[in-house]
Amino acid sequence: MRFISPVRNFDPMKFLKATASAALVLILGGAALTGGFKYYQAKTSPRQTVRAEGARVHVEELSFFDGMDKTYGKLYRPADDTLGRHPVVIFCHGISVNADWFDAYCRSAAAKGFYAYAFDFTGGSPTSRSTGHNTLKMTVEGEKKQLLYVLNRIRREPFTDRSKVFVAGHSLGGLVAALAAKESRRDIAGLILLSPSFNLVDMGQEFYPKLRGIKDTTDLLGTPLGKKFFTELRSLDPYKWLPRYQRPVLLIEGENDHTVPPEYVEKAFECYSNAEYELIPDTGHTFKGADAEVRRRVLTWLDRQM
């Protein structure tokens, strides 16, 4: 009787090749599924149609992924949009709020023919919809890097006219926009800074005159911030690089702003070589009671840049 070994015809090289091929199929399949999931998350959320300035505007989620990290954002565009490239305005919110703070601005900009994009800073507020919304880990440098990432992604979108990408920011978002512009000044056609918090460094010094006194958690405008936020401020000079940005800048400040006193914004105005400064009477940091007027001035300025 003959016994045939089950491994008699075993070819190790064929086995390794087959195993590698199977692994490659699994990897590519997993990547396709992951990529498809991310595309679905980023591109295919339900579209809402709203009215603004007498026009119809489409609003839909447009979120970007960096690995497993998600930057949540919303895109506003004219409902009667045609194919082609368009001017885009990126809006950066301040501390303790999210992208919804700029909803009215985005609607008005889209009604005038712009594409408008507003996103949530990671850790920028307890209501952030971006991945990792722990405010204790948020820093000015981190928000600046996230804005530069968003700017790069928006510039790569097929609807973007790369020569006409503007960045607007309110409060901390205004400071972050100004800092990002010094590093990407060729990519930003103009800046809109609304009550930008150029006083943040002085505020940090008032909170903690000495480095060793900085606490692990500090409440600022109702938002808990971590030790790294205030430690980083000690090496920040918010005015140093402003003269390097020589494209158009619009600064708008409320006359009764007690969060960012007007003299800090006036100093920034003096640093820029191509800036306009508008002081809005009888209103404060968030332009309460004058928000419609501020939006009108922002849109008028944007129209002039076209």
Side-chain angles (χ1 to χ4, degrees):
M1 182 179 294
R2 295 173 60 194
F3 291 92
I4 300 176
S5 168
V7 297
R8 181 178 178 182
N9 297 319
F10 176 74
D11 187 332
M13 292 304 297
K14 289 183 177 180
F15 176 78
L16 289 175
K17 289 180 180 179
T19 303
S21 297
L24 182 59
V25 169
L26 287 173
I27 291 171
L28 292 176
L33 286 172
T34 302
F37 172 74
K38 289 181 177 180
Y39 183 86
Y40 178 81
Q41 289 288 315
K43 301 284 187 178
T44 60
S45 60
R47 184 174 66 192
Q48 177 187 12
T49 301
V50 298
R51 296 198 69 83
E53 313 289 337
R56 294 169 61 247
V57 171
H58 288 327
V59 185
E60 59 190 355
E61 180 183 344
L62 176 59
S63 296
F64 298 120
F65 290 84
D66 183 9
M68 297 303 294
D69 294 328
K70 173 183 178 179
T71 295
Y72 173 88
K74 292 191 293 185
L75 180 69
Y76 298 70
R77 60 184 179 84
D80 59 353
D81 174 46
T82 57
L83 294 177
R85 297 186 179 273
H86 305 266
V88 180
V89 189
I90 300 173
F91 288 91
C92 308
H93 66 81
I95 198 168
S96 78
V97 297
N98 58 30
D100 294 342
W101 196 90
F102 272 115
D103 181 71
Y105 287 84
C106 290
R107 294 186 186 202
S108 296
K112 296 297 184 181
F114 292 85
Y115 272 48
Y117 185 74
F119 68 99
D120 288 359
F121 280 111
T122 296
S125 80
T127 60
S128 174
R129 290 153 293 191
S130 294
T131 304
H133 53 266
N134 186 348
T135 60
L136 295 175
K137 296 182 179 180
M138 186 269 285
T139 65
V140 175
E141 179 67 17
E143 289 203 349
K144 182 194 73 174
K145 289 181 178 179
Q146 189 172 14
L147 171 55
L148 291 172
Y149 166 75
V150 167
L151 174 64
N152 181 55
R153 292 296 298 265
I154 287 293
R155 283 175 51 80
R156 287 158 50 189
E157 290 291 324
F159 55 74
T160 302
D161 180 344
R162 295 186 180 184
S163 68
K164 295 179 181 179
V165 178
F166 301 88
V167 176
H170 173 254
S171 194
L172 178 58
L175 173 62
V176 169
L179 296 175
K182 75 179 179 64
E183 295 188 18
S184 195
R185 53 189 181 274
R186 294 182 180 178
D187 297 332
I188 299 176
L191 281 176
I192 302 167
L193 307 180
L194 309 175
S195 303
S197 53
F198 286 105
N199 65 324
L200 196 57
V201 173
D202 287 351
M203 185 184 296
Q205 291 283 358
E206 292 175 7
F207 269 69
Y208 299 111
K210 296 183 179 180
L211 181 63
R212 64 176 178 270
I214 299 177
K215 298 178 181 179
D216 291 335
T217 303
T218 304
D219 184 276
L220 181 63
L221 301 177
T223 300
L225 299 177
K227 185 174 184 178
K228 188 175 181 181
F229 180 91
F230 288 94
T231 302
E232 183 187 89
L233 288 181
R234 304 185 76 85
S235 60
L236 177 65
D237 183 349
Y239 297 103
K240 183 176 181 180
W241 305 106
L242 299 189
R244 288 193 177 187
Y245 187 78
Q246 299 181 356
R247 292 190 172 189
V249 179
L250 174 64
L251 298 119
I252 299 182
E253 171 69 313
E255 181 183 35
N256 302 326
D257 191 342
H258 302 297
T259 303
V260 180
E263 56 264 29
Y264 285 92
V265 183
E266 292 168 5
K267 182 177 179 180
F269 169 64
E270 293 171 357
C271 291
Y272 287 116
S273 61
N274 187 13
E276 299 175 34
Y277 174 53
E278 299 189 19
L279 188 65
I280 310 298
D282 304 320
T283 191
H285 188 62
T286 61
F287 308 115
K288 185 176 181 179
D291 47 347
E293 174 62 18
V294 173
R295 288 199 306 274
R296 185 191 67 79
R297 297 192 186 202
V298 167
L299 291 172
T300 297
W301 183 87
L302 282 170
D303 283 339
R304 293 209 313 269
Q305 310 313 311
M306 297 296 102

